[in-house]
Amino acid sequence: MNYPLFIARKIYNGGDKTRKVSKPAIRIATVGVAIGLAVMIVSVCVVLGFKHSIRDKVVGFGSHITVANFLTLQGYEQHPIQMNDSLIKVLKAVPSVKHVQRYAYTQGILKTDDDFLGVVLKGVGADFDSTFIHDNMVEGSLPRFSDTENQQKLVISKTIADKLNLKVRQRIFAYFINDQGVRTRKFTVAGVYATNMKQFDAQICFTDLYTASKLNGWESDQYSGAELQVYDFSQLNPISLNVLNKVKNTVDHYGETYSSENIIEQNPQIFSWLDLMDMNVWIILALMIAVAGVTMISGLLIIILERTKMIGILKALGSRNRQIRHIFLWFATFIIGRGLLVGNIIGLGFIFLQKWTGVIKLDPQTYYVSTVPVEVNLPLIVVLNLATLLVCVAVLIAPSYLISHIHPAKSMHYE
């Protein structure tokens, strides 16, 4: 039988009537641990949800990895690159690559009777992964995009629709200016999407890959490039390096040079901003663990001082200082355990409430999302619980040595 654990359990379960001073201290310590853990769980889940929501939106407009003309990746102008079926097969064969699709960009002007707006048309084909845009559609529907014909369909953002006062099924003229002169196309608005990413919503429209490529005056096998999606974002860097090794310094039939970039390299400001959130989380975790540790130290000291007579009796009966320290450490562990239980209930309760109801709203123009996003990561929550338990117990080891200064003869005086 574990002697310290047995005594600690007896004190914890049956000593409430004799604890007049330590009872409030125990409650305060329990509340400190519970609030600290709840805040840590909420902070981690909210930051993870926010980071992944923004990351998925940036990736949704492009891809994890882009293979394109070297000149395109180094500047802002679109230069064509040959994307035949053999190259697509090579890219699909790269380990951990989930999906490959061709794309083409072209710039134009949308004009109504009252206004006009410069936009960027992204041409996509039948292989387009429409999951992201489909999930963000607010009106109309996505057409079946083609790489062999012009269907004259256009998907625009709500931002563009509001600026030009456009509705679904409305016809609109688009003008394109390049080396071949001015070209005019008439499109029908098939759908309207809204992602709240201002820099993308303000200019990106979707149309057929065939249309965008022909408007640029390119050959039938020339496109802006290919977009690759990977299975695991955490492995993006090694996968993108593998893709780069496959295509770098390779020249196509038209003398253009291939290269590649991943989404982090294309949007360094956004991902640097998201990485700064990790520092905020670490600060919050440190502060909350410190709060829990301080309240536990205070509670333990009060408990030890109130149990001076009991400590003296145990010493007189032959208990060693180490055993008595272990009794109070076990006692503190029970308090921490209750605090962790309450903290998990509060933290996870708030997270699931927000996840299911979206009760806390945000300004999408500022935060890119309309509600506070949350993501439940159970392994990380388990780690938070274990870390809180271990740190709180560790900081109590030094205060527990106060027991060695308690003398049996002085502590067991008659009252």
Side-chain angles (χ1 to χ4, degrees):
M1 179 176 58
N2 190 323
Y3 165 64
L5 177 60
F6 175 78
I7 299 297
R9 187 182 291 117
K10 286 294 184 180
I11 299 173
Y12 184 79
N13 294 330
D16 288 337
K17 295 180 180 180
T18 62
R19 291 200 302 268
K20 296 180 181 179
V21 178
S22 60
K23 190 174 181 180
I26 292 173
R27 290 178 177 173
I28 293 173
T30 303
V31 170
V33 174
I35 293 177
L37 181 64
V39 171
M40 287 189 286
I41 290 175
V42 171
S43 300
V44 169
C45 291
V46 168
V47 169
L48 282 178
F50 189 79
K51 288 181 64 175
H52 291 173
S53 295
I54 301 302
R55 184 193 72 187
D56 292 343
K57 287 186 178 185
V58 175
V59 172
F61 278 103
S63 63
H64 294 112
I65 303 171
T66 299
V67 176
N69 193 310
F70 175 81
L71 297 175
T72 299
L73 297 178
Q74 298 301 313
Y76 296 98
E77 293 186 14
Q78 292 295 311
H79 299 271
I81 198 77
Q82 187 180 29
M83 281 290 164
N84 52 35
D85 292 339
S86 61
L87 179 58
I88 295 298
K89 290 181 180 178
V90 171
L91 297 177
K92 288 182 177 180
V94 175
S96 300
V97 170
K98 178 182 178 181
H99 181 70
V100 180
Q101 61 189 33
R102 299 179 179 91
Y103 74 97
Y105 281 116
T106 188
Q107 295 182 348
I109 298 173
L110 298 181
K111 187 180 184 306
T112 63
D113 294 337
D114 303 318
D115 206 351
F116 65 92
L117 182 67
V119 297
V120 175
L121 268 65
K122 181 176 182 179
V124 293
D127 56 359
F128 174 58
D129 183 356
S130 60
T131 304
F132 170 73
I133 296 299
H134 183 271
D135 291 342
N136 288 277
M137 293 292 292
V138 295
E139 191 177 356
S141 61
L142 280 175
R144 293 181 61 87
F145 294 112
S146 173
D147 53 5
T148 58
E149 61 177 336
N150 179 11
Q151 302 182 86
Q152 297 180 328
K153 301 290 185 180
L154 198 64
V155 175
I156 63 176
S157 70
K158 191 175 187 304
T159 301
I160 296 174
D162 291 342
K163 286 182 178 180
L164 297 179
N165 196 26
L166 291 173
K167 305 294 183 183
V168 173
R169 291 183 293 276
Q170 185 173 340
R171 306 295 294 274
I172 183 171
F173 283 98
Y175 298 88
F176 305 89
I177 305 173
N178 53 31
D179 295 338
Q180 299 175 344
V182 179
R183 295 188 177 187
T184 305
R185 293 290 186 275
K186 194 173 185 179
F187 292 97
T188 301
V189 178
V192 178
Y193 72 87
T195 68
N196 299 318
M197 295 291 288
K198 293 182 292 185
Q199 60 268 50
F200 297 108
D201 285 7
Q203 56 182 345
I204 300 294
C205 304
F206 293 87
T207 190
D208 296 306
L209 180 61
Y210 176 86
T211 302
S213 181
K214 289 302 179 183
L215 285 171
N216 287 329
W218 296 342
E219 300 295 333
S220 59
D221 59 350
Q222 285 185 316
Y223 307 97
S224 293
E227 297 175 330
L228 286 68
Q229 296 179 8
V230 302
Y231 287 101
D232 187 0
F233 188 86
S234 64
Q235 299 298 315
L236 179 61
N237 287 331
I239 298 172
S240 60
L241 181 60
N242 192 4
V243 172
L244 180 60
N245 291 332
K246 292 280 186 183
V247 301
K248 70 177 181 179
N249 299 327
T250 303
V251 179
D252 69 2
H253 176 72
Y254 303 96
E256 304 291 344
T257 304
Y258 293 95
S259 187
S260 70
E261 281 185 347
N262 61 42
I263 193 68
I264 299 176
E265 295 168 337
Q266 292 176 328
N267 300 274
Q269 298 89 352
I270 294 177
F271 284 93
S272 295
W273 170 56
L274 294 178
D275 288 339
L276 288 176
M277 295 182 182
D278 294 335
M279 180 61 68
N280 297 334
V281 172
W282 283 112
I283 293 174
I284 292 174
L285 295 181
L287 290 176
M288 292 301 101
I289 290 180
V291 169
V294 169
T295 55
M296 283 304 306
I297 290 174
S298 302
L300 181 64
L301 291 176
I302 293 174
I303 294 166
I304 291 175
L305 293 175
E306 192 180 55
R307 293 287 180 175
T308 300
K309 184 182 293 187
M310 186 197 77
I311 295 170
I313 294 173
L314 291 176
K315 283 188 174 184
L317 293 174
S319 297
R320 297 187 298 272
N321 287 333
R322 180 180 179 184
Q323 291 177 314
I324 300 176
R325 287 203 312 272
H326 287 179
I327 290 173
F328 285 94
L329 289 177
W330 274 114
F331 188 84
T333 301
F334 295 149
I335 299 174
I336 297 170
R338 177 183 288 183
L340 294 179
L341 177 61
V342 175
N344 279 291
I345 293 173
I346 296 174
L348 291 175
F350 175 84
I351 291 302
F352 283 112
L353 177 66
Q354 178 63 23
K355 187 178 183 67
W356 292 334
T357 65
V359 63
I360 300 180
K361 306 295 184 181
L362 292 175
D363 179 10
Q365 297 300 317
T366 303
Y367 296 99
Y368 307 121
V369 288
S370 57
T371 62
V372 174
V374 294
E375 180 177 323
V376 180
N377 189 316
L378 291 180
L380 192 54
I381 293 174
V382 172
V383 171
L384 284 177
N385 278 265
L386 293 176
T388 304
L389 175 62
L390 294 176
V391 171
C392 288
V393 172
V395 299
L396 295 177
I397 293 176
S400 69
Y401 277 90
L402 178 64
I403 293 168
S404 63
H405 297 285
I406 298 176
H407 194 277
K410 296 180 179 180
S411 61
M412 294 187 296
H413 60 277
Y414 176 75
E415 296 181 358

